[in-house]
Amino acid sequence: MRIDTGRAAFIAVDPQNDFCPGGALAVPQGDEVMPILNDLARAFDVCVLTQDWHPAGHVSFASSHEGARPYDAASVDGRDATLWPDHCVQGSHGAAFHEALDQRPYRLVVRKGFRSGLDSYSAFFENDGRTPTGLDGYLRGLSLGTVVVAGLALDYCVYYSALDAARLGYTVFVVRDASRAVGAPAGSVDRALDDLRAHGVAIIDSSEVPR
Ligand code: VGL
Ligand code: ZN
């Protein structure tokens, strides 16, 4: 399917320092997506950034749970959750966008995960599955029915953003080569991609986006 870039929103997910090598929750080769995101964003009329934006002591941090270690699975408020190193703390260098990201094409920044007791992977809903970020309303207001999603991390925030978009009825593309994955627990990437395909999401290469 050919993407009509005039009627689609490009959503670049969390291209932040903490998700790049040297960062607190480093995604292998996370920095390599920046030039690809820059190239893609120029092709779209509407571009949106998401920014993971946690208060200190956030519930998703292992340091907030006695005896827990980063990457442990945990139950938080009755939901399965993964605990992370402290990352993307509001106002920190780690929370800032990577310096190689060209921010000029983006007209909206959606911050998420800013409530102490609730994590948010998706650009559309927080992890309770029902608290909206407002992005759906924004895209509807612009009459856009297609989203193209890429960024960090493929198996978490990109995955949940694309999944929610599909559930909301958008036509969804995930750009594989413009994304990098945490890769934990083992098999997380294949599970995410299989589940996205099962929900009708197209996994594409950046060369398939018309310029
Ligand atoms: C993310 C884990 C925790 C992501 C954010 O951007 O994929 N992953 N917070
Ligand atoms: Zn986070």
Side-chain angles (χ1 to χ4, degrees):
M1 196 198 314
R2 191 178 159 85
I3 303 170
D4 181 351
T5 52
R7 293 180 170 278
F10 179 59
I11 304 175
V13 175
D14 299 359
Q16 295 167 260
N17 289 320
D18 269 343
F19 299 123
C20 292
L25 207 174
V27 173
Q29 282 103 43
D31 54 333
E32 291 180 0
V33 303
M34 305 303 160
I36 310 172
L37 296 177
N38 292 347
D39 184 46
L40 285 171
R42 277 193 291 276
F44 290 84
D45 183 34
V46 177
C47 299
V48 176
L49 269 169
T50 70
Q51 188 173 29
D52 214 35
W53 194 250
H54 300 310
H58 190 253
V59 69
S60 76
F61 298 170
S63 61
S64 305
H65 303 264
E66 183 87 40
R69 284 169 316 184
Y71 305 98
D72 278 355
S75 176
V76 176
D77 289 336
R79 279 187 296 278
D80 290 339
T82 304
L83 298 178
W84 304 106
D86 290 22
H87 66 280
C88 297
V89 174
Q90 296 171 357
S92 67
H93 173 76
F97 293 115
H98 191 276
E99 65 173 14
L101 181 79
D102 180 2
Q103 297 183 35
R104 291 174 299 178
Y106 297 91
R107 49 167 109 173
L108 177 72
V109 177
V110 177
R111 287 179 169 164
K112 57 186 182 60
F114 51 79
R115 292 180 174 87
S116 309
L118 183 56
D119 202 6
S120 184
Y121 294 151
S122 163
F124 293 92
F125 294 102
E126 305 203 29
N127 288 5
D128 62 0
R130 59 192 168 85
T131 303
T133 63
L135 181 57
D136 182 39
Y138 179 83
L139 298 176
R140 280 174 200 275
L142 295 174
S143 304
L144 299 174
T146 299
V147 296
V148 178
V149 188
L152 306 174
L154 177 64
D155 40 356
Y156 290 93
C157 291
V158 171
Y159 164 56
Y160 284 103
S161 297
L163 186 63
D164 280 348
R167 286 180 173 149
L168 287 165
Y170 291 88
T171 300
V172 186
F173 298 84
V174 167
V175 190
R176 178 70 186 87
D177 59 312
S179 305
R180 293 292 184 279
V182 173
S188 62
V189 176
D190 289 342
R191 265 199 306 280
L193 293 179
D194 287 348
D195 194 38
L196 289 176
R197 289 190 191 97
H199 283 83
V201 174
I203 313 298
I204 62 167
D205 189 82
S206 55
S207 62
E208 295 174 65
V209 176
R211 333 284 154 93

